[in-house]
Amino acid sequence: MVVLSPCAACKILRRRCVDKCVLAPYFPPTEPLKFAAVHRIFGAGNVIKFLQELPENQRADATSSLVYEANARIRDPIYGCTGSIFQLQNQVSELQAQLAVAKAEVHKMQAQHANLLALMCTETSQVRVEGREVPVLCQDHFPFSDLNPIPHYYKSSNISWDSSWTSSSF
């Protein structure tokens, strides 16, 4: 003969747990605090009546909601879940404001970058090609990479940059 432990609800209510106990599937004996919170806020009779009126496929979700609301009411007796919702809405608003500031900073940096590139493109660079100084102006495509300011099409052994041209001239 197998002796089953009564559900948490029946254990707390100090009654015999019957085979068709409406609370047993949702308040297992290993989780007595769940039912204690729900019982404290809503009362056992109201919970039983509420669960009996629902179709079985909705009872698990309803029980989860009751447990959440009961715990929220215990933490915040005045606002309950609503207090958590307001807190999260405020947090979302603050994060949206921070995001707007970050986007503005990105746009500002992009504009500064574009201005710097435009300034660099208007500067004339001197390149020595086979002993002659040749001016190099930027075209539609900026030929400099971030790591090496020498245009890729001037990289050869017989070409040297004029030493007077440095990044400090910008």
Side-chain angles (χ1 to χ4, degrees):
M1 177 179 191
V2 177
V3 177
L4 297 175
S5 177
C7 69
C10 291
K11 195 181 277 188
I12 288 173
L13 296 173
R14 296 184 181 165
R15 66 181 193 186
R16 186 167 179 244
C17 193
V18 295
D19 288 339
K20 294 184 180 183
C21 177
V22 72
L23 301 173
Y26 314 108
F27 299 103
T30 56
E31 298 177 352
L33 295 177
K34 281 174 58 175
F35 182 75
V38 170
H39 175 55
R40 178 176 166 191
I41 300 300
F42 300 109
N46 289 332
V47 173
I48 291 170
K49 188 181 350 174
F50 176 68
L51 290 177
Q52 286 174 337
E53 291 174 358
L54 287 175
E56 279 196 45
N57 62 348
Q58 294 178 353
R59 290 179 183 176
D61 290 336
T63 303
S64 295
S65 295
L66 288 172
V67 170
Y68 184 83
E69 176 64 32
N71 286 324
R73 281 277 167 207
I74 289 170
R75 278 191 314 273
D76 185 354
I78 296 171
Y79 295 109
C81 288
T82 308
S84 299
I85 291 168
F86 288 142
Q87 182 183 14
L88 290 172
Q89 285 175 335
N90 286 338
Q91 189 177 4
V92 166
S93 296
E94 289 172 9
L95 291 172
Q96 285 174 334
Q98 289 176 6
L99 180 61
V101 168
K103 283 182 177 182
E105 264 186 62
V106 167
H107 288 284
K108 179 181 171 185
M109 292 175 128
Q110 287 174 337
Q112 288 175 346
H113 182 71
N115 289 339
L116 179 62
L117 285 178
L119 178 65
M120 290 175 74
C121 285
T122 59
E123 293 283 328
T124 302
S125 301
Q126 295 294 322
V127 176
R128 290 196 187 275
V129 179
E130 299 175 359
R132 294 188 328 219
E133 286 190 6
V134 178
V136 177
L137 296 175
C138 293
Q139 302 295 321
D140 291 337
H141 305 291
F142 192 73
F144 301 102
S145 73
D146 292 339
L147 300 176
N148 189 353
I150 302 172
H152 67 282
Y153 45 82
Y154 287 119
K155 291 182 182 175
S156 69
S157 61
N158 63 349
I159 300 173
S160 64
W161 283 95
D162 185 1
S163 61
S164 65
W165 184 79
T166 63
S167 60
S168 63
S169 64
F170 295 109

